[in-house]
Amino acid sequence: MTTTVKSAAKRYEPTIHNVRYGIKGILLYLLPLPALITAIGSLMRGDVMATLVTGGVFAAFMVGASVARQGFRLEGEYERRKIARAPSTPFKTVAALIISTATGVLDWWSSDYAMSGILPAVLIGAVTFLGFALYYGLDPRKDKAGNISIGVTIEEVLDALDAANVKIDAIEQARRQIPNPEFNARLQRITNKAREVLTSIEDDPTRLSRARKFLKVYLDGTQRVTEGYARTHQGEKAVALETNFSRVLDSIEQTFAEQQAKLLEDNHFDLDVQIEVLETQLKREGVL
C-alpha cells in the first residue's frame, strides 16, 4: 500500500510537470524576432506600411505563442490524469491558425502584395500549420474514460473530481495566507492526501460511491475552517483560535490518514463510522 500511495503522490507532483510545460513552446516566442527587427528598421526609415505589417505579424506571433502555451498547460493536465475531460477550447489549434495566418501574410507582404503571391502565401501558411501540428500536435478532443465500469458514468466521476479539485485549490489558496509554518506544513500534508484519494478514484472509479461523502465532509470542513482561520487571523497571537484550529487539523489529518487506508481496503463499515465521528466534531467546532 505504501508503494501505491507514493506513486499516487508522484503523479500529482507539480514540479516536473511545471518545468516541462514551462519550457515547451519557448521557440514560438523566438521565431518572430526577425519580424520585430524588420519593424524597428521600417519605423526608423519612416516606412509606415512596412512598420504596421511587420509589427502586426510580430504581435500575432506573440499572441499565438501565448495561446499555444495555454494549450500545452491544459494538455499536460489532460495527460497526467487517467480520467479527464478534453479541453473545451482548442487552444493549440487556434494558436496554429494564428501563427500560420501571420506567416502567410508576411510572405504575401514580402512579394509586394502581388496577386501572384497569394497562392504561395496560402501554401506557406498551410505548411506552417502542418509543421505546428506535426511538432506540437493538436488538442485532444475526446474525454479519457480510464477504467470506468458499469454503475458509474464518466460525467459523474469527472464532476466529482472537478468539484474536489476546486475545494483543494481553495484550501491551498487559504493556506498561503497563513503565516504559521506548522499549520502550513500540516495543511500541505492534508491536501496531498486529498489528491492521493482522487488518484485512487481514477485508478478505480467504483470507489467514488464510498468516497463521495468522505470527500465532501473532509474537504468542505477543511476548506471552511482554513478559510475562516485565514480570514480571522490578522497576524496577532490569538491563542484560543490557534488552539481550536490546531485541534481541528489534528482530527482531520488523523481521520483522513486512517480512512484513506480503509477506502483502499474496501472497508465500508469503518469508513462510515469514522466519517460520522469527524462530521460530529466539525459541527461541534462550528465548522459545519
Side-chain angles (χ1 to χ4, degrees):
M1 184 182 304
T2 302
T3 303
T4 302
V5 171
K6 287 183 177 180
S7 63
K10 185 176 181 180
R11 283 203 296 272
Y12 274 103
E13 174 58 49
T15 304
I16 296 177
H17 162 76
N18 287 342
V19 170
R20 177 184 174 189
Y21 288 94
I23 296 175
K24 189 173 183 179
I26 293 297
L27 179 63
L28 296 175
Y29 288 100
L30 302 179
L31 287 177
L33 288 180
L36 176 62
I37 295 173
T38 302
I40 294 174
S42 299
L43 180 62
M44 294 178 66
R45 293 194 307 271
D47 189 338
V48 177
M49 180 58 68
T51 301
L52 291 176
V53 172
T54 53
V57 167
F58 173 77
F61 264 100
M62 298 302 286
V63 170
S66 298
V67 172
R69 297 257 291 174
Q70 175 68 4
F72 298 150
R73 186 187 67 80
L74 294 177
E75 181 184 46
E77 294 293 330
Y78 176 86
E79 290 179 351
R80 281 196 306 147
R81 298 177 59 177
K82 290 187 176 181
I83 302 175
R85 285 191 176 89
S88 57
T89 302
F91 286 101
K92 291 170 64 178
T93 303
V94 171
L97 288 172
I98 293 174
I99 292 172
S100 60
T101 300
T103 303
V105 169
L106 184 62
D107 181 76
W108 187 40
W109 171 79
S110 65
S111 66
D112 295 326
Y113 302 108
M115 293 299 295
S116 60
I118 293 180
L119 181 58
V122 171
L123 292 176
I124 288 293
V127 169
T128 302
F129 184 93
L130 180 61
F132 183 102
L134 291 175
Y135 188 77
Y136 292 112
L138 298 180
D139 307 87
R141 303 309 302 157
K142 292 184 178 180
D143 294 339
K144 293 172 66 174
N147 296 322
I148 296 292
S149 58
I150 297 176
V152 62
T153 65
I154 183 173
E155 284 300 321
E156 185 180 4
V157 176
L158 287 171
D159 287 344
L161 293 176
D162 289 345
N165 273 308
V166 167
K167 294 174 185 177
I168 294 172
D169 291 341
I171 296 169
E172 284 289 333
Q173 183 176 357
R175 178 184 66 82
R176 288 190 286 269
Q177 300 174 16
I178 298 175
N180 188 307
E182 178 188 351
F183 291 163
N184 259 272
R186 291 166 67 180
L187 286 167
Q188 183 70 65
R189 290 196 299 268
I190 287 172
T191 53
N192 286 343
K193 289 183 181 297
R195 295 194 190 278
E196 289 170 11
V197 167
L198 299 189
T199 300
S200 73
I201 294 173
E202 289 185 9
D203 292 337
D204 183 3
T206 60
R207 292 174 177 149
L208 176 61
S209 60
R210 292 182 295 109
R212 193 190 305 276
K213 182 180 179 182
F214 182 44
L215 284 176
K216 178 175 176 55
V217 173
Y218 166 72
L219 291 178
D220 282 354
T222 306
Q223 180 182 352
R224 292 185 191 183
V225 73
T226 305
E227 290 178 338
Y229 181 82
R231 183 171 55 253
T232 306
H233 192 74
Q234 301 297 328
E236 300 176 357
K237 280 291 182 179
V239 178
L241 181 60
E242 290 192 350
T243 301
N244 290 339
F245 185 58
S246 179
R247 184 168 58 249
V248 170
L249 289 183
D250 283 340
S251 298
I252 292 176
E253 190 172 4
Q254 179 181 354
T255 302
F256 191 78
E258 294 174 353
Q259 296 318 300
Q260 181 191 9
K262 290 183 172 64
L263 176 65
L264 297 177
E265 293 171 358
D266 296 335
N267 193 326
H268 296 251
F269 177 74
D270 286 346
L271 182 62
D272 287 339
V273 169
Q274 290 295 334
I275 290 174
E276 295 298 335
V277 172
L278 177 57
E279 189 170 17
T280 299
Q281 177 166 2
L282 291 175
K283 288 181 177 179
R284 186 170 61 246
E285 296 289 347
V287 177
L288 294 179

